[in-house]
């Protein structure tokens, strides 16, 4: 389909709630075209591991998770899934600070910025699958992390809303800190 422009902050649309869709809309041409555009837009960049429709200007509750090895996280495996109307219905344990960035939050040089955001390591999520069927999954670790970020987008929340302003660092600084943390954990 098409690579779409990704909306970046400041933009009021990113703070607005996305509309849920019906099970029959999932397979509609409109939604399937939207899914194809989100995939194309995600694939056109090398960092994104998830994207929600609102980021390409469509306030509909559609999120795609496309986990893959990235320049910053070469250890990641591959996982692809479409989530329609995703909702976190249960959380397990305490939140832990985890690094994240967003293709909608860039600095003056158009590079993503990063922060450690408190996220659950395990969640239960409900959603409609690509057949429009209701599903519930337990998600853990990195997938749980990405889903919390995407469900926030659907609720009009971006990760920088969840941390103090001075918690945000440049991509360069993020890479430096990530390397330090990896060395410490060895
Ligand atoms: Zn994002």
């Amino acid at each position: 389909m098409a690579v779409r422009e990704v909306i970046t902050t400041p933009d009021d649309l990113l703070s607005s709630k996305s509309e849920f869709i019906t099970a029959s809309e999932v397979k509609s041409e409109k939604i399937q075209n939207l899914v194809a555009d989100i995939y194309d837009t995600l694939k056109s960049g090398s960092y994104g591991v998830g994207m929600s429709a609102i980021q390409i200007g469509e306030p509909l509750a559609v999120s795609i998770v496309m986990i893959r090895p990235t320049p910053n996280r070469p250890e990641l495996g591959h996982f692809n899934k479409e989530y329609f109307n995703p909702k976190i219905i249960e959380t397990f344990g305490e939140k832990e600070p985890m690094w994240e960035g967003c293709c909608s939050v860039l600095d003056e040089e158009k590079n993503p910025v990063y922060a450690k955001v408190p996220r659950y390591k395990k969640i239960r999520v409900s959603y409609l699958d690509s057949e429009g069927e209701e599903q519930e999954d337990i998600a853990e670790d990195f997938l749980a992390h990405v889903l919390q970020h995407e469900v926030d987008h659907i609720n009009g929340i971006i990760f920088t809303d969840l941390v103090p302003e001075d918690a945000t660092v440049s991509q360069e600084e993020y890479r430096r800190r990530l390397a330090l943390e990896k060395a410490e954990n060895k």
Side-chain angles (χ1 to χ4, degrees):
M1 291 297 293
V3 174
R4 304 267 293 261
E5 191 192 336
V6 178
I7 291 176
T8 56
T9 55
D11 190 310
D12 286 345
L13 192 62
L14 289 169
S15 315
S16 52
K17 290 197 179 198
S18 293
E19 247 178 79
F20 274 34
I21 61 171
T22 63
S24 55
E25 278 177 308
V26 169
K27 287 191 175 177
S28 68
E29 203 184 331
K30 178 187 169 188
I31 296 297
Q32 286 310 309
N33 288 343
L34 180 60
V35 164
D37 283 359
I38 298 174
Y39 270 121
D40 287 347
T41 309
L42 262 171
K43 285 176 189 160
S44 72
S46 45
Y47 292 94
V49 287
M51 187 172 282
S52 294
I54 196 149
Q55 292 179 272
I56 58 167
E58 309 274 357
L60 296 169
V62 177
S63 297
I64 291 180
V65 172
M66 196 179 78
I67 295 174
R68 53 185 166 160
T70 69
N72 292 329
R73 296 180 190 263
E75 74 282 6
L76 290 174
H78 288 267
F79 176 88
N80 254 47
K81 197 160 177 172
E82 295 138 35
Y83 295 86
F84 304 92
N85 304 347
K87 210 167 148 188
I88 294 163
I89 53 171
E90 191 178 359
T91 61
F92 303 87
E94 300 292 319
K95 287 180 180 174
E96 283 179 36
M98 292 162 99
W99 282 111
E100 65 187 75
C102 178
C103 18
S104 291
V105 188
L106 307 178
D107 62 17
E108 295 83 29
E109 279 124 51
K110 303 279 172 217
N111 289 316
V113 297
Y114 296 83
K116 267 195 158 171
V117 183
R119 298 292 191 190
Y120 293 103
K121 290 200 82 173
K122 188 175 172 184
I123 58 170
R124 188 191 304 273
V125 60
S126 70
Y127 59 97
L128 298 176
D129 65 16
S130 41
E131 298 297 316
E133 300 288 334
E134 295 205 24
Q135 301 288 348
E136 267 184 38
D137 287 354
I138 296 270
E140 293 185 75
D141 301 318
F142 195 66
L143 175 60
H145 186 182
V146 177
L147 278 171
Q148 286 166 86
H149 180 108
E150 297 312 325
V151 170
D152 276 352
H153 273 306
I154 284 168
N155 291 318
I157 298 163
I158 46 176
F159 79 99
T160 43
D161 295 336
L162 305 174
V163 293
E165 210 172 316
D166 61 2
T168 312
V169 300
S170 68
Q171 176 154 261
E172 208 175 46
E173 178 63 13
Y174 160 67
R175 284 182 181 158
R176 200 183 65 82
R177 294 199 197 179
L178 201 62
L180 271 177
E181 285 175 13
K182 273 184 190 161
E184 275 168 20
N185 290 331
K186 260 181 192 152

